[in-house]
Amino acid sequence: CELWFLARTKFNRLLQDFPDVRLLLENFQRKANTSKKRSCTVLTRQSILLSSEKILESKHFFIHPDHLFIKVWMPVVLFFILNNLIMVPFRTAFLENFPIEPSVVFDYIGDIVFISDTVIRSNYLGYYDDGHLIVAAKAIRKNFRKSGHYFV
């Protein structure tokens, strides 16, 4: 393991020979500084109360993304996704003469879970955008369409 040390002055002299790299580093530094400014916003008690009042005034039902229901719901959906990925090809390949009635019922339950998940995510599941909780119905639908979760 080798440790290399390069002084800032030598590094800046090297950057003069590579102007495209220097521009990339300057853009990166500018983006880092602007994101640092956005993340360091100080929340006052009044701004927190105003945002909570806006949420309470909202007549649209929404589910908070950190709610216990979502923490339980996501593993249930994952279970049915993994079941479809593993069991459907296994049944197709190896269980040709096996009665499939119990597994069909289980598949229908999985389909109901998938449809319910799509409805919940597209209409009711709030999300965070740049540290702000978004609960508006139109914004939730727009985020869902943009996210591509419905392809899963």
Side-chain angles (χ1 to χ4, degrees):
C1 180
E2 294 182 27
L3 176 64
W4 289 66
F5 177 76
L6 184 62
R8 181 180 293 264
T9 55
K10 289 181 182 179
F11 179 73
N12 287 335
R13 270 189 261 138
L14 279 174
L15 280 180
Q16 290 175 356
D17 295 335
F18 302 99
D20 52 336
V21 175
R22 184 174 41 89
L23 287 174
L24 285 173
L25 286 173
E26 287 173 356
N27 287 336
F28 179 72
Q29 184 178 10
R30 195 175 319 111
K31 287 179 183 178
N33 287 338
T34 57
S35 67
K36 201 183 296 182
K37 287 176 187 174
R38 277 189 273 155
S39 66
C40 290
T41 55
V42 177
L43 295 176
T44 63
R45 184 175 183 191
Q46 185 179 8
S47 66
I48 293 172
L49 289 174
L50 284 174
S51 63
S52 64
E53 285 176 8
K54 286 181 183 178
I55 290 174
L56 291 175
E57 289 174 2
S58 172
K59 293 182 174 43
H60 174 70
F61 173 75
F62 72 95
I63 301 172
H64 197 282
D66 296 331
H67 194 269
L68 179 63
F69 171 75
I70 294 300
K71 291 180 181 180
V72 172
W73 180 253
M74 292 304 170
V76 169
V77 173
L78 178 65
F79 171 76
F80 282 104
I81 289 172
L82 292 176
N83 178 58
N84 280 350
L85 285 173
I86 295 168
M87 291 308 293
V88 171
F90 180 78
R91 278 195 316 254
T92 305
F94 300 112
L95 301 177
E96 294 175 359
N97 299 326
F98 190 75
I100 58 170
E101 292 160 0
S103 64
V104 169
V105 171
F106 196 70
D107 285 342
Y108 285 144
I109 292 172
D111 292 341
I112 291 170
V113 167
F114 293 143
I115 291 169
S116 302
D117 184 57
T118 302
V119 170
I120 288 170
R121 285 183 186 227
S122 66
N123 294 314
Y124 305 113
L125 183 60
Y127 66 96
Y128 288 107
D129 183 30
D130 198 22
H132 301 286
L133 179 64
I134 307 298
V135 296
K138 287 183 180 181
I140 291 173
R141 281 189 218 103
K142 183 179 179 182
N143 183 55
F144 178 75
R145 276 186 257 123
K146 188 173 65 172
S147 70
H149 284 143
Y150 49 88
F151 288 122
V152 177

